[in-house]
Amino acid sequence: MSPSPSRSIADLTEGTILASVDIAVPPERVFRAITDGTEIIRWWGSAETYRTTKWDSNLQVGGEWRAEGLAADGVPFTVGGKFLEIEPPHRLVHTWAPLWDGGNETVVTYTLATTPTGTHLTLSHTGFKGRPESCQGHSSGWAMVLGWLAAELVPPAADTAKYFFCQLVPPRPDFAFTLTPDERAMMTEHGIYWRRRMFEGTVVVFGPVNDPQGPWGLGVVRVNSEADLKDFQNQDPAIISGRGFRYESIPMLAAIWRQP
């Protein structure tokens, strides 16, 4: 059984994040994976984003924890905090104060519920009120983190998915060079959406193509059916915007690609 996609939403007004994922292992196994430093440095990160290289913690209420790592470009980072609640294997609460976020302290809560198939993990992250950019950035980040966790605990099954080459055709040939502020903001949301779906496993690669007749967006996606492809595309902020974007998609006979 493959892990289910992770999900994350942010309330930018209230400054809160809610993320979740279903994992087909018991809560005891999930709890160990999010508290054992040896395990954490194995799954928390990817070659394209960053890697957690060190995790030290005193796993008791009032105890401190600290993580270190390297971004994909080699820039080091640190984040740490203090444990507020520890109730194995169903609840873990700690503060979160990353150096890259100006040392602002927020609170992360993991809730692990037993389900017929394993564990439903819910993560809430609060304390971003007045800092919408940080809230949105952390929301996208938690979708990646929970995806990495699920993939570590339940490795993907044999690949029986369908692959599609997708071309995102803009509403005008010079769109990339004549963006209005509103269009630029919409395209930022488009990029966030595709990046999030990449770390959920749907997107293989994406980016703009410098076509002499006018740039357009390229993407290769991995889905179970054409209906899933349509659903994925219809949720794209570029399509939702109603600004005249459209997708042209071609099924691939085979897909051979290198997983990091």
Side-chain angles (χ1 to χ4, degrees):
M1 178 183 295
S2 297
S4 68
S6 55
R7 301 163 291 276
S8 181
I9 58 174
D11 184 330
L12 302 184
T13 301
E14 293 299 319
T16 62
I17 298 165
L18 188 65
S20 65
V21 69
D22 290 290
I23 309 176
V25 296
E28 290 81 2
R29 178 68 188 94
V30 179
F31 193 86
R32 185 166 75 249
I34 63 175
T35 56
D36 185 309
T38 302
E39 294 205 27
I40 288 171
I41 62 175
R42 187 169 64 235
W43 65 261
W44 198 315
S46 73
E48 299 81 10
T49 55
Y50 64 87
R51 286 285 187 188
T52 301
T53 58
K54 186 176 181 181
W55 182 283
D56 295 315
S57 68
N58 178 13
L59 191 60
Q60 62 179 355
V61 174
E64 296 184 349
W65 67 275
R66 175 184 169 88
E68 299 177 8
L70 292 173
D73 58 5
V75 175
F77 68 85
T78 61
V79 57
K82 183 179 295 185
F83 292 107
L84 304 179
E85 299 178 40
I86 305 173
E87 301 176 14
H90 295 296
R91 185 173 172 84
L92 179 69
V93 183
H94 60 69
T95 59
W96 175 274
L99 189 62
W100 72 80
D101 197 29
N104 286 287
E105 187 174 84
T106 51
V107 177
V108 175
T109 301
Y110 293 89
T111 304
L112 286 65
T114 302
T115 69
T117 58
T119 303
H120 180 71
L121 187 158
T122 302
L123 179 146
S124 69
H125 196 167
T126 61
F128 293 97
K129 193 163 188 176
R131 298 188 298 124
E133 291 184 2
S134 182
C135 187
Q136 183 62 69
H138 276 80
S139 179
S140 300
W142 282 119
M144 291 190 294
V145 170
L146 296 190
W148 293 331
L149 172 63
E152 169 70 16
L153 297 178
V154 185
D159 189 2
T160 58
K162 301 178 185 297
Y163 291 80
F164 289 85
F165 174 93
C166 301
Q167 178 182 5
L168 180 63
V169 181
R172 55 185 186 273
D174 64 348
F175 179 82
F177 308 115
T178 59
L179 288 168
T180 67
D182 285 348
E183 289 172 334
R184 188 175 301 279
M186 179 272 296
M187 290 305 293
T188 297
E189 290 300 311
H190 161 76
I192 291 172
Y193 173 73
W194 271 74
R195 190 175 299 275
R196 174 169 61 82
R197 296 303 298 267
M198 172 177 282
F199 289 102
E200 291 176 1
T202 301
V203 175
V204 177
V205 63
F206 76 100
V209 175
N210 191 20
D211 190 325
Q213 297 183 16
W216 47 270
L218 175 152
V220 175
V221 300
R222 174 182 178 274
V223 292
N224 293 320
S225 66
E226 290 193 31
D228 287 345
L229 173 68
K230 291 297 183 183
D231 183 61
F232 164 76
Q233 294 175 342
N234 288 339
Q235 294 182 55
D236 188 333
I239 300 300
I240 294 174
S241 72
R243 294 177 182 271
F245 284 90
R246 75 178 192 279
Y247 273 107
E248 295 184 1
S249 304
I250 303 173
M252 299 176 65
L253 295 175
I256 302 169
W257 55 288
R258 176 183 174 273
Q259 290 182 309

